């Protein structure tokens, strides 16, 4: 069927027009029912609100109290667990520090050095008083430049 024949068929057929008319009639019917539905809701609302206040509101308050108590219990439980974990970590930390001190002291005794800092690495900082152009040193404020080199 060609496009022209299809257009003629649709223009001659009244079905689309009937669909529009049916939709308009349905909308008008629903709109005519609207005032009575609103009046019914207006009459039922005070009774429904009273019913909610008397029956459901006390239940909701009780449920809110229960949930609040559950929240407090959960918070107490987590606070206790956090305290226990904190104490366990403190005990573990004390043991680790003691172990590290013992190992350090044993290592110092094995070297024959005391724990007086004699085994600390030596650091040397070179200062250049007249920097050459293009160097990457930083000025120290007294005319000297710190080249950032350190020797150990």
């Amino acid at each position: 069927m060609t496009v022209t024949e299809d257009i003629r068929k649709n223009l001659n057929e009244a079905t689309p027009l009937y669909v529009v008319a049916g939709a308009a009639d349905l909308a008008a019917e629903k709109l005519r029912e609207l005032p009575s539905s609103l009046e019914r809701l207006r009459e039922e609302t005070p009774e429904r609100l009273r019913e909610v206040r008397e029956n459901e509101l006390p239940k909701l308050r009780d449920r809110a109290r229960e949930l609040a108590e559950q929240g407090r219990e959960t918070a107490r439980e987590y606070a206790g667990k956090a305290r226990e974990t904190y104490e366990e970590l403190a005990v573990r930390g004390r043991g680790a520090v003691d172990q590290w001190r013992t190992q350090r002291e044993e290592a110092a005794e094995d070297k024959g050095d005391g724990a007086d800092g004699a085994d600390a690495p030596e650091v040397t900082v070179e200062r250049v008083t007249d920097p050459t152009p293009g160097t990457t040193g930083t000025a120290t404020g007294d005319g000297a430049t710190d080249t950032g080199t350190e020797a150990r």
Side-chain angles (χ1 to χ4, degrees), residues 3-16:
V3 174
T4 306
E5 290 174 353
D6 193 32
I7 291 173
R8 280 190 188 132
K9 179 183 174 205
N10 287 337
L11 289 176
N12 291 333
E13 192 174 314
T15 304

Side-chain angles (χ1 to χ4, degrees), residues 88-103:
E88 289 171 3
L89 287 173
V91 168
R92 181 182 178 128
R94 281 187 197 105
V97 169
D98 289 342
Q99 181 181 4
W100 296 334
R101 284 181 182 157
T102 303
Q103 288 174 352

Side-chain angles (χ1 to χ4, degrees), residues 18-41:
Y18 293 144
V19 169
V20 171
D25 185 51
L26 178 62
E29 179 185 323
K30 295 299 178 185
L31 287 173
R32 281 190 297 270
E33 294 173 2
L34 187 60
S36 63
S37 295
L38 289 175
E39 186 61 34
R40 182 176 40 83
L41 286 173

Side-chain angles (χ1 to χ4, degrees), residues 91-129:
V91 168
R92 181 182 178 128
R94 281 187 197 105
V97 169
D98 289 342
Q99 181 181 4
W100 296 334
R101 284 181 182 157
T102 303
Q103 288 174 352
R104 182 175 175 207
E105 290 170 359
E106 290 173 355
E109 288 174 4
D110 290 345
K111 289 182 180 179
D113 295 333
D116 58 358
D119 59 341
E122 184 178 329
V123 176
T124 305
V125 177
E126 295 179 17
R127 295 193 183 267
V128 177
T129 57

